[in-house]
Amino acid sequence: MKVLSMLLAGFVVGYAISDIGPLDSLLSSTAEFHSFWAIVNGLTVVAISACVASVGLARASAHTSIVVAIAAVLVIVFQTVGMVTGLLGHWAGALATGALLAAAAVLAGRQRAAQAALAVAVLGAGLLGGALDALLEANDGPVFIWDVVGAEDDVSPQRAIVMVIVASGTAVALFLAHRREELQPYETRRILLVGIPLPVAAGVLSWIAAGHYSRSVEWLGALFGMTVIAMLASFLLPGRDGRLLLVLFGVSATALGTFGFAAGDVAQLCLSAALLIAGAGIGYRWPQLYVGLGVLLLIAVAGVVEGYFEVPTGTEFILPFVAAYVVVSALTTSPGSLALSLPALFTMTLPVVVYAATSQVASTYDRAVATRTSEPDHLVLSVAGLVVVAVMTGACALLMRRPTVVSGTS
């Protein structure tokens, strides 16, 4: 039941993330990304909310975490069906998504199976949720037997129904699984010192990169900056907890030089989901962090070959499996570090530049990553991704030499 509750909670978080645009400012509804205020977008707020709430909830009782989680689920549902509108709705949805992620991470504790379920569900739904929406909306027949009538014109009945059904199961599962649970010791405030500035710095670098549409130097400089802050943040986290952040950043760098996650039709979406689950399962049973990082390096090399010779390598079908495997292999970690790290895949990959390539992409890791022309071409992206993955692998090797630290002792 604990694993099921984490799967459902993670799906709600990831599915909500997939609907949060990295271009939309939560301070001004008219701000475009050349405006500095657009840095305060939904993804940034999710990351900061998750960090702050995880530290606070880790110092509270399990009952408090359950209440916060269920309340956050309700807010996300209300925002999804259009009952909370405008900027207020965007703020509420982002803050609630972060709070739910934090509560779930705290309730998962250091139980590796629960952490793995939460992580894979967040990443899977976050990356594939847009594709799922597209497939639901493309169905010409009656998808559901009733319609959702919201206060906004852009409410998607399909997404709203899915969210209502999954959220209902989430609330029940969280209560049944954790109502008698005792929480682990509270988190150190060091989590706040890392987790609050991390997404803000990433947003600033994305804004700098997006402001130079015709040149590659600034974009690559921003990627270098993100690599530096990812490494710095990972070593500031207690013990070996930063390895998850390094791994997630490595996965995002690998995706820059590939065609991302295959999710163009029903078969590809199901295949990507199945590969995520399979990779997570094998990573749970046979966790080998360096094996996973080594395969990420091979995928990055394949991206370079594909960019140079223009020969498809099919890495979009392999990446979901390897991503899930290496992420699960990097667990366990403290709840605060888990809540801090999971949003990194969405906030630390220059997402605005990738997303802005086309408004038709299903997620920020779709085929437009390799076809846009206003930023570095595919070969440059592939080489940059390969370098970043290599650096992350070396950083992991250094980090793993440190002793493990139990949450609350540093």
Side-chain angles (χ1 to χ4, degrees), residues 14-78:
Y15 204 38
I17 285 176
S18 73
D19 199 38
I20 296 176
L23 296 172
D24 301 327
S25 171
L26 295 187
L27 295 177
S28 171
S29 59
T30 62
E32 298 182 2
F33 203 70
H34 56 72
S35 167
F36 183 83
W37 303 115
I39 293 170
V40 186
N41 58 63
L43 293 175
T44 303
V45 173
V46 167
I48 295 175
S49 173
C51 172
V52 174
S54 66
V55 175
L57 291 175
R59 297 164 181 262
S61 64
H63 178 75
T64 301
S65 296
I66 295 173
V67 171
V68 170
I70 294 177
V73 167
L74 293 176
V75 172
I76 292 170
V77 170
F78 290 156

Side-chain angles (χ1 to χ4, degrees), residues 323-352:
Y325 177 85
V326 71
V327 167
V328 174
S329 295
L331 299 172
T332 61
T333 185
S334 72
S337 297
L338 180 64
L340 179 157
S341 299
L342 286 180
L345 188 59
F346 307 98
T347 59
M348 296 189 66
T349 54
L350 299 179
V352 174

Side-chain angles (χ1 to χ4, degrees), residues 64-308:
T64 301
S65 296
I66 295 173
V67 171
V68 170
I70 294 177
V73 167
L74 293 176
V75 172
I76 292 170
V77 170
F78 290 156
Q79 194 269 340
T80 303
V81 301
M83 297 177 66
V84 186
T85 61
L87 285 178
L88 175 62
H90 296 319
W91 273 100
L95 288 169
T97 300
L100 176 57
L101 174 57
V106 169
L107 291 172
R110 284 186 173 269
Q111 184 181 359
R112 189 160 175 268
Q115 286 194 349
L118 175 64
V120 173
V122 169
L123 301 182
L127 293 172
L128 302 176
L132 177 61
D133 281 347
L135 293 176
L136 290 174
E137 293 171 1
N139 192 320
D140 294 329
V143 180
F144 300 103
I145 61 174
W146 73 92
D147 291 331
V148 173
V149 180
E152 292 183 327
D153 295 334
D154 60 351
V155 171
S156 167
Q158 293 88 346
R159 166 175 279 268
I161 296 299
V162 170
M163 189 64 85
V164 168
I165 293 173
V166 177
S168 301
T170 302
V172 173
L174 285 170
F175 177 76
L176 293 178
H178 304 282
R179 66 188 186 278
R180 296 189 180 93
E181 186 172 1
E182 295 293 333
L183 294 181
Q184 299 295 320
Y186 63 84
E187 290 288 353
T188 173
R189 289 189 179 89
R190 189 188 303 183
I191 299 295
L192 298 177
L193 298 177
V194 178
I196 293 177
L198 185 65
V200 176
V204 171
L205 290 171
S206 291
W207 171 68
I208 292 173
H212 300 82
Y213 296 105
S214 61
R215 300 179 61 185
S216 299
V217 175
E218 287 81 3
W219 196 95
L220 293 174
L223 180 62
F224 172 79
M226 284 196 183
T227 304
V228 172
I229 64 174
M231 292 180 60
L232 178 62
S234 67
F235 280 91
L236 287 175
L237 290 174
R240 302 176 182 177
D241 287 351
R243 67 187 183 274
L244 180 60
L245 179 62
L246 291 173
V247 163
L248 287 169
F249 189 67
V251 170
S252 70
T254 305
L256 288 175
T258 71
F259 285 116
F261 282 40
D265 54 32
V266 174
Q268 290 182 344
L269 179 63
C270 292
L271 177 61
S272 293
L275 288 172
L276 277 166
I277 296 171
I282 295 176
Y284 180 76
R285 298 289 296 179
W286 187 62
Q288 297 292 330
L289 181 60
Y290 295 120
V291 170
L293 289 170
V295 179
L296 278 184
L297 279 169
L298 291 178
I299 294 177
V301 170
V304 175
V305 172
E306 184 175 355
Y308 186 77

